[in-house]
Amino acid sequence: TTKEEIKMEKNILNIKEVQKLLGIGRCSTLELFHNVKFPSFKLANKWFVKYEDLMSYLDTLKDGEAV
């Protein structure tokens, strides 16, 4: 599954989808979701992030902001 396929399929991603999209491990993904600056939200005891918010967050990292 490519980034474009995920974007077309879903607007909201769960932890496993973000992990696969970014190609990082589960622990790193969980750290990301628990970061105060990361735009995630919890619903029914599960974590999610909007695709657009994830891309915006990654853009800020690219511009040099710390995690």
Side-chain angles (χ1 to χ4, degrees), residues 40-57:
S40 61
F41 59 95
K42 202 170 186 181
L43 182 64
N45 209 28
K46 294 183 181 182
W47 287 98
F48 298 94
V49 64
K50 291 171 93 177
Y51 179 85
E52 294 82 14
D53 292 345
L54 173 62
M55 293 299 113
S56 294
Y57 178 79

Side-chain angles (χ1 to χ4, degrees), residues 6 13-41 46-49 54 57-58 61 67:
I6 289 176
L13 307 172
N14 62 30
I15 288 176
K16 199 164 202 78
E17 292 164 331
V18 170
Q19 179 183 346
K20 186 174 183 179
L21 180 68
L22 298 180
I24 60 178
R26 181 161 174 81
C27 289
S28 296
T29 307
L30 290 173
E31 285 180 22
L32 184 63
F33 269 80
H34 288 97
N35 183 320
V36 173
K37 294 182 179 181
F38 189 69
S40 61
F41 59 95
K46 294 183 181 182
W47 287 98
F48 298 94
V49 64
L54 173 62
Y57 178 79
L58 293 175
L61 295 180
V67 175

Side-chain angles (χ1 to χ4, degrees), residues 4-18:
E4 289 303 314
E5 289 172 336
I6 289 176
K7 184 179 179 183
M8 290 172 50
E9 291 174 17
K10 295 183 81 171
N11 185 36
I12 297 178
L13 307 172
N14 62 30
I15 288 176
K16 199 164 202 78
E17 292 164 331
V18 170

